[in-house]
Each structure stands twice: as C-alpha cells, then as structure tokens.
Amino acid sequence: METNGVSAGKRKHGGSPAPDRPTKHLREESFEIDEDEMMPGEDGSFIVEASRMLPPTAATHDSAEWQRTIESVVRNVVSIRFCQTCSFDTDSAITSEATGFVVDAEKGYILTNRHVVCSGPFSGYCCDVFPVYRDPIHDFGILRFDPKAIKYMPVAALELRPDLAHVGAEIRVVGNDAGEKLSILSGVISRVDRNAPDYGDGYNDFNTNYIQAAASASGGSSGSPVVNVDGYAVALQAGGSTEAATDYFLPLDRPLRALRCIQTGQPVTRGTIQTQWLLKPFDECRRVGLTAEWEAAVRKGFPKEIGMLVAEIVLPEGPAHNHIEEGDILIKLNGELITKFVQLDNILDSSVGQKVKLLVQRGGQDMEVEIEVGNLHDITPDRFVTVCGAAFHDLSYQLARLYAIAVKGVYVCEPAGSFRFDGMDKGWIIESVGNKKCYNLSAFIDIMKSIPDRARVVVTYRHLRDLHTMHTSILYIDRHWSTKMRMAIRNDSTGLWDFSDIGDPLPPVDLVPRSAQFIRLDNVSYSAATDLIRSFVRISCTMPIKLDGFPRARKTGFGLVVDAGLGLVVVSRAVVPYDLCDISITVAESIIVPGKVLFMHPLQNYAVVQYDPKLVDAPVQSAKLSTEHVKQGSPTIFLGFNQNLRVVVAKTSVTDITTVAVPANSSAPRYRAINVDAITVDTSLSGQCGSGVLADEDGTVQALWLTYLGERTHSNKDVEYHLGLATPSLLPVIRQLQAGVIPKLRMLNVELHLVQMSQVRIMGVSDEWIRKVEEDNPERHQLFMVRKVECGYSQTLEEGDVILTINGKVMTRITELDVMYDHDFLDMVVVRNCEEMTLKVPTVPTEDLETDRAVIFCGAVLHRPHHAVRQQISTLHSEIYVSARTRGSPAYQYQLVPTNFIVAVNGVKTQDLTAFLAEVSKIPDNTYFRLRVITFDNIPFVITIKKNEHYFPTMEFIKDPAEPCGWRRQTYEGTSAHAGTQLIPSTAFSTKQILGL
C-alpha cells in the first residue's frame, strides 16, 4: 500500500505485544494491503470481469464436497481491474487489480474492500459498476451493477455468514490472486480476535477484530470471499504479511449490516466518539488498572474472551475529548458489558446524534461518562475542490487518527500547480492563505475566490509528520492555465463525482513600477567583474503541462541581461525548456515581473526571454558580450550562483574547450545540446553553480555558465552538467532581437561527433587532408563525423560521413558549422565509405521544431514528435507522440505509455493530431475503442482504451501569439470544439510590444 509520500508515521504507539499488533515502524514492505499497483499515473476507471470458468486450482487432495463448493463459488467471484482516478484522502491515484463477489444477484451488489472501492473518484465497467458504499473505517465497500447486462452466464450470490468463522475452520480464498484471474488458496482459521493489521501510513482499518489464517494470498486477492466447505462467505480477504504466509480477513458482521440497509433503502448509519480502541489481553489490562472484581465479572460473563477494549487514541476536540483518556479500559456501554468490537459498533451505529453512557476504568478507578455520538460520515470527506492545479478537502478522520490530531483543517490531497510544495509530495495541511486562516474547506474556497490571478500570496502550512514546524512560502496563483475553481461531490446514486464551477477568477492586478538596489560585493578584488551582479536576474519557469519529455513542472535559475533597455535576458534551456509556461523574473532579488519567451535555440542550450523594463526602477546593466572566442588556458574570472542562490567569485583559467557530448536520455527523449563547444574551468565552484558567467578583468563576458540537462540514471535521478558557452555564438541572435526580428535559423539535421586523425586515416581520409587539418588547427587535430541523421527530412548526409569542408573551409572546429544558420544550402566535401564526395546539402528551417500544439486525451499528453525524438529515432511512425500521462487515467490503466506513437484509431490511420481528433470525436463516451500503437523500438501492437470524458475531457492547447499567454485552450464535447476554460488576459504583452516596435 502506498504511504502517501512519507516512509513512516509519527503516530501514537500502543502497548500491545509485537506478535499481536505490528509495530508502526516496521519496514513499509512488511505489511501491505493486497494491491498490485502498476507503474506511475490521475482520474481513472474501474473494470470488473466475470472470472473465467477455469478448472478449480484448489489443493489436489480436496474432497468431492470441496470440489462442488468451489465450482459453485467461482461463478459468483469477479476479477477487478480498478483505478483511483485522483489522489484523495489516504489514497493515491493508482491502477491495480483485486477481487469482489456477488452478494445480491437480483439487485446487483458486489462486496469488495474499501481500499479497492477507494475513497475518491473512479468509474467502472463490465457491466458498468458503480460504488454504492465505502465504509469510513472498515475495509469493505459495495458496488452496484445491472444484472440484466450480464450475458452468457447465470449470476448467483454468496450468502454472508459471519457466525461461521471460528478457530479451526477450514477455508478457501477464491480470488484474483497476483492478477491470475482465478486462484483458490486453502487455509485454516487460526485466530478470530486479532487487532486490525497496521500497514503503515495511509489507509488502515481499526476498531474491529480481524480473522487470521495462513493462505499465502498476494496482490490481487483483496476482496476475495473466504468460504467454508458449505459455500458460505465467512470473511473478506483484506491484506497480509509479505514476510510470512499470514493473511488477514475482515469479519462480515458490519458488511452484512450495511448490505441489509442498502437492500432496504435505509441509510448506513455509522456512529463515532473519535476514539480508537485496541483489544488487549487481561494481563496487560491489569497493568493499566483493571481491577480483579471487573476481570472476574468479565471472565464469568464471557468465558472465551482473552481481553478487553482499551482506549488507544482519543482525538482532541472530539466527542470523547476530556471524557476518555488513553489507557482507559471500556467496561460497559449503555449498561451493557463490552468485550467485542461488534457490540461497540452496534450501539454507536444506532445512537448517532444521541448520548451514550460509558463505564471505564482509569488506574483502578471506575469512571462513568456521558458522550454524544457523532456521525462518522460527517468527518469522512465526500467532496474536494480543485484550484490552481491542486486539489483540497477537509482533513479526514482517517488522517486525523493516524497522527492523533483534531479532525479539522484543509488537506492538500493533490499538491500540484501553484501548491506544489518543496519536499514531500503529500501530507500538507494549509493553515492560512494571504494571512487569512483556513479553518475548513469552505473558508479556503472563500479566500481563493478573493485572490486575483497572478497574485503572490503568503501561505503557511504544516506537514502531518512534523506538526511542530510551520512552513511559510510565497505562492504564485495560477488562474489562467487552470481557470476554473471546481467542486467535486460524491454522488452515491450515480456512482460518479459531480463537478461544478464555483468561482470565476478575478483578473490580475495591474503592475506598477518598483525600485530596488543590487547587492555589493565589497570584499571581492575584481570590481569590474562584480559589477556584473547588476546584469543577473533570477528566472522561475512554471510549466502547467508536461511537454517534450521534460521531467519537471517548475525550474529556477539565473539569466544574464543582454539588453536592459529592451529587457532581454539569456537563460539556459534547462530552466526554460518550452514556451507553454509562466515566466517570473526577479530583479535585484526584490522586484518580480512577468516575462515571456522570445526565442529558443534548437541546439545551443539557451533561450531568450523578456520582461517589461518600464516596471523596473533599478540600475540594471546590460552585460558586455565578447566578440572573440576565449582560448584554452586563458585566465578568466568565474562568477556564479551556487545552490543557495548566493554569488561566488573566483579567479581561474579555461581548462578545456571541446564539443559537448551530452548523453541522450533513452527512456524519454528530451532537449539536449548538440553541435556546440562547451567550456570547462579550473575551479571546484564550477560544479556547484548552475548559472553564471566567465568574464575578463574589465567585466566583458567571455562565456555564459549554463546548466545542461542530461540523461536519467537507473535511480531516476536527472543528471545535470554545468558548462560554459562562448558569447560569440549568441551575438547574431541577440542583434536580430534588438532589431525587432525574431531569428529564423536553418540547420543541418545531423549530430556530429569528434574523430581523431588516427581514426579518419582508417576511414579513408587522405594524408593531404590530414596535413590541411594540421595546418588549419595546430591546437587540435580533429575532424567531425556524422553520428546521427535526424529523421523526418530527406537525407543527403549519411551516418558515418566524415566532413572535410563546409563552403570551401576546412572544418576542424564545431563553431565553423554556425554558417548553416544563414544558408539554404551548404557545399560540403565528405568522405563516405573511403571515398571523397562533393555534396550540396540543404539545411532545414528550425521555426517548426518547437512544440506548438498539444492534445490531452484520456489522460495522455499527445503532440508532434519533438526535436529530441527526431534526433534519436530512425523512423517517425506518425505525428502523434505520447509525451506524458497522468496516474489513474485510462491511458495509464491500459498501458498507453510515453514514447509510444499512435498510428490508427479503430482501424483508421491517423498520421497527425487533426486526423486523430476527428476519429476519437466519433467515439461515444464510456466506450471501448482500439488504438494501433508503435513503440519507440518499432514494435507494433494494439490496445483497447475506454473513453472517459467525465473525469478526462479532451483538451487542446494551440500556440497563438494573439492570446495573452501565447496559447489558446479549447475543450471538446461530442464532435465539436469550444473555447471551454478560457485563458485570462494578463499583464503579458504582445510580440510587437516585446520587441519595442
């Protein structure tokens, strides 16, 4: 079971023996709910399939009676593939497998686990199934299906008989063990009085006894019926230990009551006094104060009992607060002697809104208290709100009990967008927004309605695992990419969650000029270089959706101001990977202004962004860029920003200048620099700084110091390289932007690789050419070979070609390739297969390399294969590339994975997004369709996906300079597109305004 982003819970510890109740600090894999979660994925579906009538796989020596029982039982068991469509309460968005069984064939009810039904949204099929009930505490839930939709097989029901579960009873667990559709596991009940197992952080059952047996069930068997030889369901499979063959079964007393209530149309009342009880043996009860008189009375009244109920956790501000204390022994409830959880539940469930009398013993003293019983459903969330890309609901009883805190506060169930906090992913409780307290979800909604788009507000919050620490952050409120604030409310009649818009965003407040001063570096001896502080600004880039295989949703770095009058800033593409984003530029660590992407270089790892200089009253200085290439061994001054965003300066020298060879990311191609020289320097500070410059003593910038995004390691860590880029490469682009022109470059669609003379001799390069190389570049005797030719264009160069000249010039330096940016054709001499050839090689335009259209369909992000894909692949199968997907979505459930290409829908070829949208718009909602897919490694296959427009509407983002954000968003209903959620006009400016025209 997932642990919500944290590894262990800081919860109150009980005093029960370790063999009886697993400690809360065992390794998280020691105990698990039977969930077979697949790889990473957001809103999803629930699929139930009738189990195949396979030959029973019970023990080979089963009696004929057992064989008949099993043959009867398997007809009532269903295999479940399910999705929790978004994170909610203790559950994360997941895709998994489980089991259920029919308990009412006429009305169509299926019993399974609560951790299968989930606390949040999902949808279902086969026939369509919908959640009717999920218990707030106990691990069971009920689904509804239409019996008339079942064809080709009779539907029968298993009778629930909790009274037949006893020690020594032989049982069979019939279910979808380990995803095998049908497995039958045998065992013998060894205990019926076990405390509920503790699976660590996340969902846990409590206030109930569990049944224990050794059946060796595994993931997928959750929700299986535990049957006796007569074919009665005596328990419900719920979980097990991964370190032993032990399985944990939920008694059926409470599921049977809930089923009867639902069958008769009555509400399933659930009472609580917000107290967790544990069954503890008599010897332990004596140690906490049980008197001999009461022990004798209990043993006489219940001779088979081994212990009594002891208060473990009493929640602050709950009904029992100040009435019951931890360690109190429950003697009587409403005058009835209590030793079992079933008795406790019976009385509380029938007393909601009424007062009950409890007799407890505290340190040997009898204490009689009167407590009003609360409604357990009232403290179990049935709604959530989405705003700024994140989701929130009131703190649940489950989470409050886990950390022994009051059931109040706003819980961030899906930290994302503006509310993506640093550190742990889940477990945050919002204390205040904009200096206003968030006591509950209603107060939070009212506060968010009053905050304008693009505002920056102070937010205070705590983490459940560290409630002692108050965190304070300033958040940027995004109400333009995620425009609507939406409320989702659970509807137990339809089984869906109903969405409604609850507040349009307020327009952003007009910005006014602000003044500030830069810091001074008085203790640094290089005054001219330190003046460069006035040329640096901090850049934050927030990406609302994942494109181009980029791994992060937010990046921060520093950029160099190259024209203070126009507000032009150069920054690494590891910080600004694409232009569907929000750019915030901080000047002098004091003034924050919006920015916009003007230009992204396809190869050299930099982008140019712009801010409005009229909003900045500060002595920003345009950096002076060198027109000469820095030399190896030259002295230089390194000025950079370390991981703490602090300035560091050091006198150093250039150690090497060589063509960069950033490794490609094999699992998900993303932007990387190629065909460009990288500079390294002789100082350890260079490895600590992702942004900076190399400058001479008069402050002229010789090179930018940039972060280069590299490959992803096997431990899922993204490698970053810190290298220098010589400024002469920037100057042609900067000059065009200063002149009001967006550069339109051309390039050779190849990746080049350095080769030495010893290699090129073998490849057929003559001695005469080798002498020309030695004369042209005395410092480095090298040529370049075509390592990879990008696909998607007609090819003139071939992989393995050794380039000798470009436009009559011997090419021994990668910077000599820069002539390609301004030429439609290049005259080249190459050596191919030991033969010298003269070629006229066309260049290709670069303006269409960047992603300018994205479709979100069934939770998958689709767009044209971006440049990195074309660099790494040999054949483009289509123009529909899967870039990302969300957890719990149909794309995730049915294994439409990133790097796949979609080539056909329901047998109709779809080579581009327009054709794809035309075909999928014909598919009715809640219907299966076929996709023909080809993997990145050229393996074709067909998958089926069930369309789910309720939780995953089809949306499209189209680049549009006329829009304030530069992109237009539209959603689809049926076969037509409409504006849908509009982007909000903001303080962004048009292209003409940006360029000062």
Side-chain angles (χ1 to χ4, degrees):
M1 184 175 183
E2 286 205 351
T3 56
N4 297 322
V6 289
S7 60
K10 274 192 179 177
R11 296 179 289 167
K12 305 189 72 174
H13 292 251
S16 56
D20 180 64
R21 181 164 171 264
T23 171
K24 298 175 191 280
H25 285 294
L26 282 177
R27 296 193 307 274
E28 63 181 75
E29 68 270 17
S30 296
F31 293 89
E32 62 178 9
I33 282 183
D34 290 330
E35 290 181 351
D36 185 19
E37 183 181 351
M38 303 179 187
M39 305 183 335
E42 231 156 62
D43 294 64
S45 61
F46 199 103
I47 297 191
V48 177
E49 299 173 346
S51 298
R52 298 177 181 175
M53 292 301 297
L54 301 177
T57 56
T60 56
H61 299 294
D62 270 348
S63 65
E65 190 176 11
W66 266 116
Q67 291 287 345
R68 288 192 298 271
T69 296
I70 290 170
E71 289 176 4
S72 173
V73 168
V74 295
R75 289 194 292 266
N76 311 313
V77 179
V78 294
S79 171
I80 301 172
R81 287 188 297 145
F82 69 94
C83 282
Q84 166 95 18
T85 65
C86 64
S87 296
F88 186 84
D89 198 4
T90 57
D91 298 327
S92 296
I94 59 169
T95 297
S96 189
E97 297 188 5
T99 308
F101 59 98
V102 179
V103 291
D104 188 326
E106 293 183 2
K107 295 186 177 180
Y109 293 131
I110 293 171
L111 180 65
T112 186
N113 289 130
R114 177 197 185 275
H115 73 262
V116 175
V117 175
C118 308
S119 56
F122 73 92
S123 61
Y125 179 76
C126 182
C127 47
D128 291 322
V129 295
F130 304 100
V132 174
Y133 180 76
R134 74 271 288 157
D135 195 81
I137 292 180
H138 301 321
D139 197 6
F140 74 92
I142 298 175
L143 305 172
R144 186 185 73 246
F145 69 95
D146 181 4
K148 297 178 182 178
I150 302 297
K151 299 179 180 180
Y152 312 119
M153 63 175 292
V155 178
L158 289 181
E159 184 176 346
L160 306 184
R161 290 292 302 273
D163 57 304
L164 298 180
H166 56 83
V167 173
E170 187 177 3
I171 50 92
R172 298 290 185 269
V173 180
V174 184
N176 180 25
D177 188 65
E180 295 297 335
K181 299 301 181 189
L182 180 63
S183 292
I184 301 170
L185 306 172
S186 61
V188 176
I189 293 177
S190 58
R191 292 186 61 182
V192 294
D193 55 2
R194 188 194 194 285
N195 280 308
D198 183 358
Y199 305 109
D201 288 355
Y203 168 73
N204 280 286
D205 203 342
F206 60 98
N207 282 356
T208 183
N209 289 125
Y210 262 60
I211 299 169
Q212 182 174 305
S216 300
S218 61
S221 62
S222 287
S224 300
V226 180
V227 299
N228 67 2
V229 70
D230 296 319
Y232 294 120
V234 300
L236 178 68
Q237 166 74 24
S241 169
T242 60
E243 294 184 344
T246 305
D247 291 278
Y248 308 131
F249 307 145
L250 178 71
L252 293 179
D253 305 85
R254 309 322 291 166
L256 179 57
R257 172 185 177 269
L259 176 63
R260 288 172 175 168
C261 289
I262 293 170
Q263 288 171 326
T264 57
Q266 301 297 315
V268 185
T269 56
R270 295 287 277 113
T272 181
I273 58 172
Q274 297 186 24
T275 301
Q276 178 182 350
W277 305 88
L278 285 181
L279 179 64
K280 296 191 177 183
F282 283 116
D283 66 330
E284 189 170 346
C285 291
R286 286 194 296 270
R287 293 199 298 270
V288 295
L290 179 64
T291 61
E293 292 77 12
W294 276 121
E295 180 178 353
V298 171
R299 286 184 180 274
K300 181 179 179 180
F302 304 95
K304 294 184 179 181
E305 294 301 322
I306 63 170
M308 300 183 69
L309 301 182
V310 180
E312 167 80 350
I313 297 175
V314 181
L315 294 196
E317 303 180 30
H321 184 53
N322 295 328
H323 296 290
I324 297 177
E325 295 182 0
E326 292 84 353
D328 285 358
I329 304 168
L330 181 59
I331 305 295
K332 288 185 177 182
L333 182 58
N334 280 355
E336 180 180 337
L337 204 60
I338 296 291
T339 61
K340 292 180 178 293
F341 284 112
V342 172
Q343 298 171 275
L344 179 65
D345 271 344
N346 281 336
I347 296 174
L348 293 181
D349 290 348
S350 61
S351 304
V352 175
Q354 304 172 23
K355 291 187 177 182
V356 293
K357 292 183 178 180
L358 290 86
L359 176 64
V360 300
Q361 273 210 324
R362 181 182 304 162
Q365 299 295 318
D366 288 356
M367 308 281 295
E368 191 170 56
V369 295
E370 191 174 66
I371 300 174
E372 184 172 347
V373 178
N375 188 340
L376 196 51
H377 294 297
D378 289 345
I379 54 176
T380 301
D382 64 351
R383 63 196 61 208
F384 65 93
V385 65
T386 58
V387 61
C388 301
F392 310 81
H393 59 68
D394 285 314
L395 186 70
S396 69
Y397 182 33
Q398 273 284 339
L399 288 167
R401 181 206 62 89
L402 199 64
Y403 297 94
I405 60 177
V407 189
K408 65 178 184 180
V410 178
Y411 179 69
V412 189
C413 60
E414 190 70 76
S418 300
F419 288 85
R420 185 184 297 275
F421 301 119
D422 293 332
M424 292 171 281
D425 286 340
K426 295 187 68 177
W428 301 107
I429 298 179
I430 303 295
E431 294 282 335
S432 69
V433 176
N435 300 313
K436 298 178 180 178
K437 286 290 185 180
C438 296
Y439 298 104
N440 51 38
L441 189 63
S442 297
F444 174 77
I445 292 171
D446 290 340
I447 294 170
M448 293 305 300
K449 286 180 178 179
S450 68
I451 300 176
D453 182 34
R454 297 184 181 271
R456 285 179 166 81
V457 297
V458 177
V459 177
T460 60
Y461 50 99
R462 302 179 191 270
H463 198 277
L464 287 171
R465 287 184 47 78
D466 185 12
L467 295 169
H468 304 290
T469 303
M470 175 74 79
H471 301 267
T472 302
S473 294
I474 297 176
L475 301 188
Y476 170 76
I477 300 301
D478 165 25
R479 296 294 305 276
H480 45 280
W481 298 112
S482 302
T483 313
K484 300 295 186 181
M485 185 189 305
R486 305 187 76 200
M487 175 69 80
I489 301 177
R490 191 181 74 218
N491 186 332
D492 288 332
S493 297
T494 64
L496 299 175
W497 288 60
D498 298 330
F499 293 92
S500 60
D501 297 333
I502 59 173
D504 291 327
L506 298 178
V509 176
D510 291 336
L511 298 178
V512 297
R514 303 286 185 183
S515 61
Q517 292 294 325
F518 288 88
I519 63 170
R520 295 175 56 186
L521 301 179
D522 293 333
N523 297 325
V524 178
S525 57
Y526 315 110
S527 58
T530 56
D531 284 343
L532 282 169
I533 292 294
R534 294 162 49 199
S535 300
F536 278 98
V537 294
R538 182 153 54 93
I539 296 179
S540 296
C541 181
T542 303
M543 285 96 17
I545 63 174
K546 287 188 175 182
L547 302 179
D548 298 356
F550 193 75
R552 303 285 294 277
R554 183 183 300 164
K555 288 286 287 186
T556 299
F558 283 83
L560 183 70
V561 178
V562 293
D563 191 316
L566 290 176
L568 300 181
V569 184
V570 180
V571 64
S572 168
R573 282 201 64 167
V575 177
V576 182
Y578 46 84
D579 60 2
L580 200 160
C581 62
D582 282 337
I583 302 290
S584 295
I585 297 177
T586 306
V587 181
E589 293 299 327
S590 178
I591 307 169
I592 302 177
V593 293
K596 187 169 184 177
V597 180
L598 284 187
F599 174 80
M600 293 180 290
H601 201 286
L603 304 177
Q604 295 184 352
N605 193 49
Y606 72 87
V608 180
V609 300
Q610 187 180 39
Y611 65 92
D612 185 354
K614 297 176 183 177
L615 298 174
V616 177
D617 182 10
V620 182
Q621 174 178 288
S622 301
K624 180 182 178 183
L625 304 182
S626 174
T627 58
E628 300 294 330
H629 284 275
V630 65
K631 303 293 185 182
Q632 183 179 7
S634 300
T636 189
I637 298 172
F638 177 85
L639 185 149
F641 293 83
N642 62 19
Q643 296 175 348
N644 297 322
L645 308 182
R646 301 287 295 175
V647 180
V648 292
V649 182
K651 187 71 176 289
T652 184
S653 60
V654 176
T655 56
D656 194 15
I657 305 173
T658 189
T659 303
V660 68
V662 175
N665 187 51
S666 58
S667 60
R670 65 259 190 119
Y671 180 89
R672 64 189 178 99
I674 64 170
N675 299 344
V676 62
D677 272 342
I679 302 170
T680 56
V681 292
D682 185 22
T683 174
S684 61
L685 294 177
S686 63
Q688 304 170 18
C689 301
S691 306
V693 293
L694 303 179
D696 60 22
E697 293 193 357
D698 69 357
T700 301
V701 176
Q702 301 167 315
L704 299 181
W705 195 255
L706 303 174
T707 296
Y708 291 68
L709 181 62
E711 71 279 19
R712 173 163 286 192
T713 65
H714 292 296
S715 59
N716 287 330
K717 299 292 185 182
D718 292 300
V719 179
E720 291 184 342
Y721 302 90
H722 302 149
L723 302 165
L725 174 67
T727 53
S729 300
L730 308 174
L731 292 175
V733 168
I734 300 302
R735 287 166 183 161
Q736 289 187 64
L737 291 173
Q738 289 172 325
V741 177
I742 301 294
K744 295 184 178 181
L745 306 182
R746 301 185 67 85
M747 69 174 193
L748 290 176
N749 56 327
V750 297
E751 180 180 351
L752 302 183
H753 180 70
L754 273 175
V755 285
Q756 305 302 322
M757 295 300 97
S758 60
Q759 297 170 302
V760 298
R761 284 183 188 276
I762 301 171
M763 300 172 76
V765 177
S766 66
D767 291 345
E768 180 182 357
W769 278 110
I770 291 176
R771 284 194 298 273
K772 290 181 179 179
V773 169
E774 293 169 347
E775 293 171 0
D776 183 79
N777 191 350
E779 297 176 352
R780 292 189 178 243
H781 301 162
Q782 62 188 22
L783 286 170
F784 292 89
M785 180 187 73
V786 177
R787 178 181 177 274
K788 187 76 174 68
V789 178
E790 296 175 15
C791 67
Y793 300 98
S794 58
Q795 312 296 342
T796 303
L797 294 173
E798 295 182 4
E799 292 169 5
D801 287 354
V802 178
I803 300 175
L804 299 177
T805 68
I806 294 183
N807 287 354
K809 172 72 173 64
V810 178
M811 182 181 169
T812 62
R813 302 170 182 85
I814 197 65
T815 54
E816 291 161 349
L817 187 65
D818 289 356
V819 297
M820 66 181 176
Y821 295 130
D822 302 315
H823 290 77
D824 293 342
F825 293 90
L826 297 175
D827 295 317
M828 303 180 68
V829 178
V830 304
V831 171
R832 179 183 299 169
N833 299 327
C834 296
E835 293 185 10
E836 186 177 313
M837 305 176 64
T838 300
L839 304 173
K840 194 174 188 65
V841 182
T843 57
V844 298
T846 63
E847 55 261 30
D848 64 345
L849 288 182
E850 303 299 335
T851 299
D852 58 4
R853 183 185 185 189
V855 171
I856 302 176
F857 177 75
C858 285
V861 180
L862 312 175
H863 56 65
R864 292 175 56 239
H866 52 286
H867 193 203
V869 174
R870 298 170 186 267
Q871 289 174 336
Q872 291 181 225
I873 204 169
S874 57
T875 303
L876 278 184
H877 306 291
S878 78
E879 291 288 304
I880 309 169
Y881 176 80
V882 182
S883 178
R885 61 180 180 174
T886 52
R887 293 180 66 91
S889 66
Y892 189 79
Q893 180 178 7
Y894 297 100
Q895 295 298 291
L896 181 63
V897 301
T899 73
N900 283 170
F901 292 84
I902 298 175
V903 297
V905 177
N906 283 338
V908 179
K909 290 185 178 180
T910 53
Q911 287 299 304
D912 56 34
L913 291 173
T914 300
F916 176 82
L917 285 173
E919 288 304 313
V920 298
S921 64
K922 302 174 184 177
I923 301 169
D925 192 21
N926 206 35
T927 303
Y928 276 104
F929 60 94
R930 302 189 318 278
L931 286 183
R932 181 171 172 81
V933 176
I934 300 181
T935 70
F936 200 83
D937 297 322
N938 306 323
I939 300 174
F941 62 99
V942 174
I943 62 175
T944 58
I945 293 183
K946 185 183 179 187
K947 195 175 185 182
N948 187 337
E949 290 287 339
H950 183 77
Y951 294 118
F952 297 93
T954 302
M955 293 183 290
E956 187 174 12
F957 289 85
I958 303 171
K959 194 169 183 177
D960 186 352
E963 293 290 329
C965 293
W967 289 74
R968 182 176 76 256
R969 174 178 174 173
Q970 60 188 25
T971 59
Y972 289 80
E973 289 182 358
T975 59
S976 61
H978 61 88
T981 306
Q982 291 292 324
L983 303 180
I984 302 172
S986 66
T987 54
F989 15 78
S990 69
T991 304
K992 289 188 176 182
Q993 289 172 325
I994 287 173
L995 295 174
L997 300 180

